[in-house]
Each structure stands twice: as C-alpha cells, then as structure tokens.
C-alpha cells in the first residue's frame, strides 16, 4: 500500500523556467510533509517542509504548497537551474508510526541549460 | 555545519558473508533511523531508535538483520548472512524532532 505517491517518474525543464513536482498521499493522519533532494551515491538532503496547519511555505527559490482536502502537495522551483537536476522525494510524517518518514518513489528532475 | 557520518561509503561482499555499517548522528539528536533504499524507490525505514531504545523495528528482517545503539549515540547495523536481495543503499538519519537529516549512505553490493 503506497501511502505517498509521486506519479511522475521524471520531469524535464528548461533553465530559468518553473519546475513543479507533485505528490499525493492517502493517509489523512499525516501532519507534516518534507521534500528531499538526492544526488546519485549521496544521501537525501532536506529542502523544505510544511506543517498541515499551513497551505504554503517558501524558502528562496523553493515553495511547497499543501492542499489538505485533495491530499496533494507540490514543490515549485523558480527559476530552475541546472544544479537542481536530481531525484526529488516527497515524504510524510504522522499517523500511527511515530517519527517514521513515509517516502514517495521519487521524481527525476532534469534542468537543461 | 554538523552532519550525519556513515562508514563505509561502499561495501562489496559475497552472499552468506557478514557485513556491518556504522552511523554517527548529529550531536544531540536523540532519534536515529536506519533506512534502506532500492534503486527507483524511496527509502524505507528498517529501524528507529530513541536514545538507546528501539522504537520501531517492524520492517527489520530480524532473522538476518540486527541493529544496536548501545550508548545512545552511534549505531551499528549488521547483516548476517547477506543475500543477493540485500543489495541497496543503506541510509542513516538523525532528528531532534520532525525533520530528519541523512548521512551519505552505504552502497552495499552482494555478489
């Protein structure tokens, strides 16, 4: 049972344009959401998070939007840069498993110069 | 900036051998996690420690995997015997509360 889903395995964007990565979840007990970025052969790097009491959180070029009624969140990167090319994971906290992060499958973002 | 340390970064072993991975969390982080990531999938939790106590090991294959955090600081994950299906990235993370910070991982290849 995949409780966190990233339905787009890959996304290709031109440098300077907006990248939008999407994530859906099924467990209504999740109350904290995070985005991680991962380069090959490295561990995930924390990017940005959002609590379920908010619908938007912004940090520089990165903005996360949360739509609780749709159980959907998205990460916007503006403007996209070639160095943003990586795998992006959506993750959720909460529910009955205290502290356990539930990850999506990841989306490979490629930003072309 | 404090980081989670892991060693080794890469490990190649033959099936039926024993392997061990080490993790040193960020100082002061009481919670430590071991995740396994198979290529093309997101990380999945193997075991979670709060200080020296196991909080969640429901997904740990206990017939061959073991984990310890004896003094509530660094931790060791062991596999004995290793199987071909254990080839994956093993990630350690630590957390003060909420956000988890990951180490660089250990890439295990079982031949």
């Amino acid at each position: 049972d995949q409780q966190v889903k990233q339905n787009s395995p890959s996304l290709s964007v031109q440098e300077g344009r907006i990248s939008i990565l999407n994530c859906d979840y099924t467990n209504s007990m999740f109350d904290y959401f995070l985005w991680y970025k991962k380069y090959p052969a490295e561990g995930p790097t924390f990017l940005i998070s959002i609590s379920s009491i908010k619908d938007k959180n912004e940090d520089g070029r990165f903005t996360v939007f949360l739509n609780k009624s749709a159980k959907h969140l998205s990460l916007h990167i503006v403007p996209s840069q070639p160095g943003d090319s990586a795998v992006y994971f959506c993750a959720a906290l909460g529910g009955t498993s205290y502290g356990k992060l539930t990850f999506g499958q990841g989306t490979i973002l490629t930003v072309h110069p | 900036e404090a980081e989670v340390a892991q060693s080794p970064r890469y490990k190649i072993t033959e099936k039926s051998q024993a392997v061990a991975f080490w993790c040193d969390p960020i100082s002061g982080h009481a919670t430590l996690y071991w995740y396994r990531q198979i290529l093309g999938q997101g990380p999945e939790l193997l075991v979670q420690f709060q200080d020296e106590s196991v909080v969640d090991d429901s997904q740990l294959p206990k017939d061959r995997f073991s984990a310890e955090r004896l003094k509530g600081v660094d931790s060791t994950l062991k596999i004995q015997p290793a199987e071909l299906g254990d080839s994956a990235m093993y990630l350690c993370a630590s957390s003060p509360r909420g956000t988890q910070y990951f180490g660089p991982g250990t890439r295990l290849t079982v031949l």
Side-chain angles (χ1 to χ4, degrees):
Chain A
D1 177 29
Q2 191 76 24
Q3 297 188 67
V4 178
K5 296 181 182 180
Q6 295 175 255
N7 292 317
S8 298
S10 63
L11 175 67
S12 183
V13 172
Q14 199 76 24
E15 181 179 6
R17 305 294 292 269
I18 184 171
S19 295
I20 300 176
L21 298 104
N22 293 302
C23 178
D24 297 294
Y25 63 96
T26 57
N27 189 338
S28 57
M29 297 296 290
F30 288 145
D31 56 9
Y32 194 73
F33 303 90
L34 306 91
W35 283 94
Y36 287 86
K37 172 182 178 181
K38 187 179 184 301
Y39 294 117
E42 293 185 13
T45 301
F46 169 71
L47 272 178
I48 191 169
S49 62
I50 188 167
S51 165
S52 60
I53 62 173
K54 295 185 175 182
D55 56 15
K56 177 182 175 181
N57 188 26
E58 192 172 354
D59 184 2
R61 296 186 298 114
F62 302 93
T63 303
V64 56
F65 295 91
L66 176 62
N67 182 333
K68 283 179 59 180
S69 60
K71 294 190 177 68
H72 176 84
L73 64 156
S74 61
L75 174 68
H76 293 211
I77 307 174
V78 182
S80 301
Q81 300 173 353
D84 296 329
S85 298
V87 180
Y88 288 77
F89 289 99
C90 166
L93 268 175
T96 56
S97 297
Y98 172 77
K100 171 187 172 181
L101 274 176
T102 302
F103 282 86
Q105 312 94 306
T107 297
I108 301 170
L109 173 66
T110 304
V111 180
H112 298 283
Chain B
E1 184 175 310
E3 296 180 341
V4 176
Q6 286 188 252
S7 67
R9 291 293 307 276
Y10 303 92
K11 179 69 178 178
I12 300 174
T13 190
E14 294 184 345
K15 64 179 182 178
S16 78
Q17 295 298 304
V19 291
F21 314 130
W22 177 79
C23 172
D24 191 14
I26 294 171
S27 178
H29 285 191
T31 313
L32 183 148
Y33 310 81
W34 283 101
Y35 288 85
R36 176 169 62 184
Q37 186 193 6
I38 296 169
L39 196 63
Q41 300 180 20
E44 292 186 337
L45 182 70
L46 290 173
V47 62
Q48 176 185 344
F49 289 92
Q50 183 68 28
D51 298 310
E52 67 276 9
S53 301
V54 173
V55 174
D56 184 353
D57 64 356
S58 57
Q59 300 302 309
L60 188 72
K62 298 181 190 62
D63 57 335
R64 298 185 299 109
F65 285 64
S66 63
E68 60 183 17
R69 193 185 185 198
L70 293 176
K71 296 182 180 179
V73 181
D74 59 336
S75 175
T76 302
L77 177 70
K78 297 179 181 177
I79 308 175
Q80 182 174 18
E83 295 181 353
L84 295 177
D86 296 332
S87 294
M89 174 79 88
Y90 290 82
L91 296 161
C92 179
S94 70
S95 171
R97 184 177 178 177
T99 301
Q100 295 177 22
Y101 298 92
F102 286 81
T106 297
R107 167 69 67 189
L108 173 66
T109 302
V110 182
L111 303 176

